[in-house]
Amino acid sequence: MTIKHIIDVLENHAPPYYQESYDNTGLIIGESANNCTGVLCCLDITKEILEEAKSTHCNLIVAHHPILFTGIKSITGKSYVEQIIIAAIKLDIALYAIHTNLDNVLHGVNETIAAKLGLINKQILLPKTNTLSKLVTYVPVHKTEQVLNALFEAGAGNIGAYSEASFSSVGVGSFKGSENSNPTIGSKGVREQVEEKRVEVLIPNYRQEKIISALLQAHPYEEVAYDIIPLSNVNQSIGSGLIGHLAKPMQAADFLGFLKESLQLPLIKHTAFTGQHIEKVAICGGSGSFLIPSAKKAGADIFITADIRYHAFFDAEKELVIADIGHWESEQYVPEQLFAVLTANFPNFAVLKTTVNTNPVRYYLG
């Protein structure tokens, strides 16, 4: 078992392609080719986390928050970040971050909150655009199924809750091979006409290379004609935040009590109740002020997030309730999700959840 085996599973769950431009997802310290003795899943990387990894013989830490966001010019131990980097290298412990890419997939960070609240009919709150393309190719009719199966296997043809989606139409293709050609159909130097199917499938941009490779291997022609057409369509499965419904509406005060108990929260900061029942719930783990307009536009009754600035609370404008539950609190179940993903793929391997509470915030309750 190598570190790369672990990384491949994580990046299939939340592709790095979907991280935000400011982020630093991926392997930060270590070599992916090294053998992995165990994995420790956590939210933040601290000295206590490093000690836990050492004591449990884990040489890979998978964290939600990257220890490095921006470049540094020296590593002398003058900050806690530099101290952790030095310690990780000395201990030969690899550090991997799975951050905004995990925020931006439907089954990611926000799903952990939605599951605790029992939400149904879940959707991305603010879907991303420019992450999809259309692949168009032309295949002899009797080979269409062979090519489609290869494309689907490589990750093409997924639209929301549907897979293996495609469109095809029949037409006539023509070609004439040169003396250097080796045509599958017909003869060199003779213009051939072949009944073909025009096949169209949706592809995620990050899998384009793999899908084209599968097309070229499965297609019977020596030279394969295909087009990649960028799309501005929204991607229903990728984006910021999540919105869903409660199975039954609740009074606002009752819902906040339910929220506090479900997520084991010490307190909740919130705006005034609107007088409406809570049924449609919007969520953004971590800092979510930027999604307040999207939550309002989607008709949410409440928006659950963290790090709301004082003046941003006014943006509720009595249209919805804004509930700030705390940054660590909104992401506390990420290690649980990472543990579940890895143990599902490596049931007999040492994958651990941290027992360390890395929340730097304390609450004085009197």
Side-chain angles (χ1 to χ4, degrees):
M1 179 73 68
T2 66
I3 289 173
K4 186 178 185 304
H5 286 122
I6 305 296
I7 291 174
D8 286 346
V9 168
L10 293 170
E11 296 188 349
N12 183 62
H13 182 70
Y17 178 86
Y18 295 127
Q19 71 174 320
E20 299 296 334
S21 59
Y22 62 81
D23 203 6
N24 192 30
T25 286
L27 188 62
I28 295 172
I29 291 176
E31 298 180 56
S32 61
N34 287 352
N35 286 331
C36 186
T37 59
V39 185
L40 180 63
C41 302
C42 63
L43 190 63
D44 309 285
I45 302 172
T46 64
K47 293 177 183 178
E48 292 77 14
I49 292 291
L50 282 176
E51 287 300 320
E52 185 180 26
K54 178 184 176 182
S55 66
T56 55
H57 308 290
C58 294
N59 69 340
L60 173 61
I61 295 173
V62 176
H64 184 46
H65 294 139
I67 190 65
L68 280 175
F69 272 101
T70 57
I72 55 177
K73 294 186 177 181
S74 64
I75 305 176
T76 60
K78 62 182 177 293
S79 67
Y80 86 93
V81 170
E82 293 178 15
Q83 292 163 15
I84 288 171
I85 291 171
I86 292 170
I89 292 172
K90 285 183 177 179
L91 294 169
D92 196 21
I93 295 176
L95 308 181
Y96 183 91
I98 180 167
H99 191 213
T100 53
N101 51 326
L102 190 62
D103 292 330
N104 285 331
V105 293
L106 182 59
H107 50 269
V109 172
N110 299 306
E111 167 61 24
T112 63
I113 303 174
K116 299 290 182 183
L117 300 179
L119 298 188
I120 57 176
N121 304 324
K122 294 167 287 190
Q123 297 178 335
I124 293 291
L125 180 59
L126 182 61
K128 286 189 177 295
T129 59
N130 302 311
T131 65
L132 300 169
S133 295
K134 183 195 291 186
L135 168 64
V136 180
T137 189
Y138 306 86
V139 190
V141 172
H142 68 288
K143 292 291 185 178
T144 303
E145 195 67 18
Q146 170 183 306
V147 171
L148 278 173
N149 286 339
L151 294 175
F152 296 151
E153 180 68 24
N158 296 315
I159 304 176
Y162 295 85
S163 62
E164 301 189 10
S166 69
F167 177 81
S168 62
S169 56
V170 178
V172 176
S174 67
F175 51 84
K176 181 170 72 173
S178 69
E179 288 302 312
N180 297 320
S181 67
N182 184 27
T184 302
I185 299 173
S187 304
K188 300 177 182 181
V190 178
R191 180 157 57 89
E192 301 290 342
Q193 290 191 330
V194 179
E195 187 177 48
E196 295 177 329
K197 278 192 175 180
R198 173 188 168 106
V199 173
E200 304 178 24
V201 289
L202 198 66
I203 65 172
N205 291 342
Y206 81 95
R207 295 188 74 90
Q208 180 176 312
E209 185 176 341
K210 182 177 181 179
I211 290 169
I212 294 303
S213 176
L215 168 66
L216 298 179
Q217 291 181 35
H219 203 291
Y221 287 172
E222 184 178 25
E223 299 290 346
V224 181
Y226 64 88
D227 302 313
I228 301 290
I229 305 170
L231 302 176
S232 59
N233 303 48
V234 298
N235 190 333
Q236 303 171 45
S237 301
I238 303 297
S240 302
L242 177 149
I243 190 163
H245 291 78
L246 293 171
K248 293 182 179 179
M250 300 175 67
Q251 294 283 353
D254 293 336
F255 177 77
L256 289 185
F258 169 65
L259 174 64
K260 186 173 185 292
E261 181 180 354
S262 298
L263 301 187
Q264 301 177 26
L265 306 174
L267 55 84
I268 301 172
K269 295 196 299 182
H270 65 89
T271 56
F273 297 154
T274 63
Q276 302 295 321
H277 285 85
I278 302 296
E279 181 178 10
K280 204 169 186 180
V281 180
I283 297 168
C284 179
S287 304
S289 294
F290 70 102
L291 285 174
I292 293 174
S294 299
K296 290 161 67 174
K297 184 178 179 181
D301 301 308
I302 190 167
F303 178 41
I304 302 165
T305 187
D307 301 340
I308 299 293
R309 294 172 290 105
Y310 174 79
H311 291 286
F313 278 107
F314 287 103
D315 293 337
E317 298 178 318
K318 299 182 180 180
E319 295 181 38
L320 81 173
V321 177
I322 296 174
D324 185 332
I325 64 174
H327 196 116
W328 182 90
E329 288 79 7
S330 71
E331 297 178 333
Q332 62 181 302
Y333 300 107
V334 171
E336 180 180 294
Q337 183 185 96
L338 296 175
F339 175 82
V341 169
L342 291 177
T343 52
N345 284 272
F346 308 110
N348 300 315
F349 189 68
V351 180
L352 306 176
K353 287 182 293 184
T354 183
T355 60
V356 176
N357 183 330
T358 60
N359 190 1
V361 180
R362 298 292 182 267
Y363 302 97
Y364 179 72
L365 302 177

